[in-house]
Amino acid sequence: MNHRNSNIRNQESSGMLPNLPPGSILLKIRDYLEESNIPTFRFQQLVNSLQHGHERFEEIKELPKPLREQLSEYFGQTPLPLKIVKEQSAEQVRKILFETRSGAQIETVMSQYRAGWTSMCVSSQSGCGLGCSFCATGTIGLVKNLTEDEICGQIFHPYWQTLPDSIAFMGMGEALMNPHFFNSLQILTAAGYGGISSRRITVSTVGVAPKLEQLVKEYPQVNITLSVHSPFPEQRAEIIPLEKRYPLTENLSILDRYTNSVRRKVYLAYLLIIGVNDSNEHLNALVKMIKSCSRPELFHVSVIPYNDSFKMNSSYQAPAMEHVLKFVSQLKQHGIHATRRQQFGASIDAACGQLYASNKNSRQVKF
């Protein structure tokens, strides 16, 4: 792991580092060292070295050579769970196709905003099994739930050289469907490991109600984005099939209670598709839905213009920018907080799943 970004405070522990979730590579290394009667401070040296960008055990010169060789023999040359398969870049954006040790591939995107801050879009699954009609990742199907190490490894990989100012679980997969997701949050926010403030983390979800309830209870400072895309249940079920299992109304009820008690803003993502969900009826129903909440001023609609380059549905068409801006303006006129989401990387297929699909060596093996 890597703490080279001065904007994120290094929270290395002066004493014993906190425990990690079962299954993480660092916990396996710690247990191995304890069983081998290696002094505790050696584990702390190893963690600190990984935080400063070392990739291989042999590079960690703070450790005695015999111990470095011992670790390499037992765990392999590196504890890093990901390798780079392909990369693309354009103005303000870099996209990496990573491969796990099992051969599954995932995408991670770093965006650089003109104001000077950075945001990383992280994947939680290789592929996705939810089948949303607008999503390139959904055509892949679920290949693999990423482990805690594979999720965190995207963020702390030495390739980036610096940590992002913010992290968004908006990459491949539905984070709340991954049983390892909450363990990854624990690692990311734990002092001495990730040490990243929950307020710098955004979780985007199409609405897995029981897990959303868990998220707002256990990590109330994490930012939440709920995909809406239609205020009408039948149409939303066509766009997001999970609507049939966890209706939008159930998820909104959870967020309504959350905003009322925690007083934190939540975001509602609305993918605007010409002739599908852009009518006055849709807008008025969306407004009515938000105003029915206890604290409507804490709900912010993020309007996303559909991108034709997704090539996901021949009947879907991108709206003209003036149409998007009009939709946003009309929401505001009704007293709803709304903005158009800024998008980068169209020239490099930065939509999740596109780099995966374009890579001829991508493997779609079920795990």
Side-chain angles (χ1 to χ4, degrees):
M1 285 183 261
N2 180 350
H3 274 201
R4 288 158 284 177
N5 188 337
S6 61
N7 293 326
I8 300 180
R9 181 161 56 98
N10 190 335
Q11 300 183 24
E12 294 174 7
S13 173
S14 57
M16 187 71 174
L17 291 172
N19 284 326
L20 289 164
S24 68
I25 183 64
L26 287 181
L27 187 59
K28 291 178 181 178
I29 292 173
R30 170 189 272 180
D31 290 345
Y32 175 79
L33 293 176
E34 289 180 354
E35 292 168 2
S36 302
N37 295 317
I38 305 297
T40 301
F41 73 88
R42 294 299 188 192
F43 177 70
Q44 292 179 302
Q45 288 177 327
L46 182 144
V47 171
N48 294 344
S49 293
L50 294 176
Q51 289 173 336
H52 287 88
H54 293 123
E55 298 185 44
R56 300 174 180 273
F57 290 114
E58 65 183 21
E59 299 171 359
I60 306 175
K61 302 304 181 184
E62 293 87 347
L63 301 181
K65 185 176 180 180
L67 179 56
R68 299 199 303 268
E69 293 174 346
Q70 187 177 346
L71 290 170
S72 297
E73 181 179 355
Y74 194 84
F75 293 100
Q77 293 184 339
T78 175
L80 299 183
L82 303 172
K83 69 176 182 179
I84 295 174
V85 174
K86 190 175 182 179
E87 57 184 291
Q88 292 181 335
S89 62
E91 185 180 7
Q92 296 182 258
V93 64
R94 284 182 289 166
K95 186 168 187 176
I96 298 298
L97 184 67
F98 285 115
E99 186 171 273
T100 70
R101 291 182 177 181
S102 62
Q105 295 181 348
I106 55 173
E107 300 173 6
T108 310
V109 178
M110 177 83 85
S111 299
Q112 174 76 50
Y113 291 81
R114 297 193 189 281
W117 58 279
T118 57
S119 178
M120 183 180 290
C121 187
V122 178
S123 293
S124 55
Q125 297 175 315
S126 176
C128 182
L130 296 185
C132 296
S133 64
F134 58 88
C135 181
T137 305
T139 64
I140 300 168
L142 179 61
V143 178
K144 180 183 188 294
N145 281 313
L146 300 185
T147 66
E148 300 91 333
D149 295 324
E150 291 161 351
I151 291 173
C152 296
Q154 297 169 72
I155 299 161
F156 297 111
H157 196 281
Y159 169 85
W160 303 114
Q161 298 183 342
T162 181
L163 284 179
D165 295 301
S166 64
I167 297 163
F169 283 88
M170 294 183 177
M172 299 177 74
E174 165 61 57
L176 296 185
M177 293 294 283
N178 185 341
H180 307 296
F181 168 68
F182 283 94
N183 283 346
S184 71
L185 278 186
Q186 181 182 338
I187 296 172
L188 289 174
T189 57
Y193 295 109
I196 297 171
S197 169
S198 295
R199 288 176 175 265
R200 296 182 180 273
I201 300 173
T202 296
V203 177
S204 178
T205 177
V206 297
V208 188
K211 295 300 181 180
L212 181 60
E213 187 84 67
Q214 180 182 352
L215 179 65
V216 299
K217 287 181 178 179
E218 295 183 7
Y219 293 91
Q221 300 304 310
V222 162
N223 302 294
I224 298 169
T225 295
L226 174 65
S227 294
V228 176
H229 306 338
S230 175
F232 302 122
E234 288 188 9
Q235 185 184 43
R236 187 174 187 267
E238 294 175 359
I239 299 172
I240 303 173
L242 197 65
E243 163 74 17
K244 298 174 184 177
R245 184 175 177 187
Y246 301 118
L248 177 61
T249 52
E250 183 179 356
N251 287 282
L252 275 177
S253 179
I254 294 169
L255 294 182
D256 189 20
R257 295 192 298 272
Y258 166 75
T259 56
N260 198 36
S261 61
V262 181
R263 302 293 197 271
R264 277 183 61 76
K265 180 190 297 185
V266 297
Y267 294 85
L268 303 179
Y270 197 90
L271 184 67
L272 198 65
I273 309 169
I274 195 74
V276 175
N277 62 354
D278 61 335
S279 69
N280 287 332
E281 289 77 13
H282 285 86
L283 187 139
N284 291 332
L286 181 60
V287 170
K288 182 179 179 180
M289 181 186 76
I290 295 172
K291 287 191 172 182
S292 69
C293 295
S294 303
R295 298 293 300 270
E297 73 277 11
L298 293 178
F299 287 82
H300 186 109
V301 180
S302 179
V303 180
I304 312 161
Y306 179 74
N307 188 336
D308 282 331
S309 68
F310 290 8
K311 298 181 178 65
M312 291 308 306
N313 189 318
S314 59
S315 65
Y316 286 0
Q317 296 181 26
M321 189 51 61
E322 55 265 29
H323 189 58
V324 178
L325 296 177
K326 181 181 178 181
F327 195 88
V328 171
S329 176
Q330 289 177 320
L331 286 172
K332 291 180 177 179
Q333 289 172 17
H334 283 87
I336 304 299
H337 295 294
T339 51
R340 176 180 65 87
R341 180 182 291 176
Q342 188 173 7
Q343 294 173 295
F344 299 137
S347 64
I348 59 168
D349 294 332
C352 292
Q354 289 186 292
L355 184 56
Y356 179 110
S358 69
N359 184 52
K360 64 181 180 179
N361 294 318
S362 293
R363 283 176 279 177
Q364 300 183 23
V365 180
K366 296 289 183 180
F367 287 80

